[in-house]
Amino acid sequence: DYGNSFDESLDEDGLIAAKVRIGDKYKRFGNLIRKENKVSDESLEDTLLDMANYAIMTVMWMRGK
């Protein structure tokens, strides 16, 4: 549904775009481990996998440059 918005945001804004996305997930991780989960559709595992995927996608983008 998102298309390739991650690469597009990196193309437009550079690595700061990846930092923001990974940072958002890191904050979510902090909230989840403090039991502040108010959204039931994203688990702790989902959040960690998202962070890992964003890191991998960032490396892939860097290698393509």
Side-chain angles (χ1 to χ4, degrees), residues 2-48:
Y2 296 107
N4 200 357
S5 65
F6 186 75
D7 276 5
E8 290 171 7
S9 64
L10 287 168
D11 290 341
E12 290 177 18
D13 301 316
L15 289 173
I16 193 70
K19 180 185 181 294
V20 168
R21 298 240 185 139
I22 294 168
D24 288 343
K25 292 297 177 177
Y26 181 77
K27 289 176 186 174
R28 175 93 173 118
F29 174 68
N31 289 337
L32 287 170
I33 63 175
R34 286 190 299 275
K35 307 282 190 224
E36 296 176 20
N37 186 14
K38 295 185 172 94
V39 179
S40 62
D41 66 342
E42 184 175 346
S43 68
L44 178 61
E45 183 176 311
D46 292 335
T47 300
L48 291 169

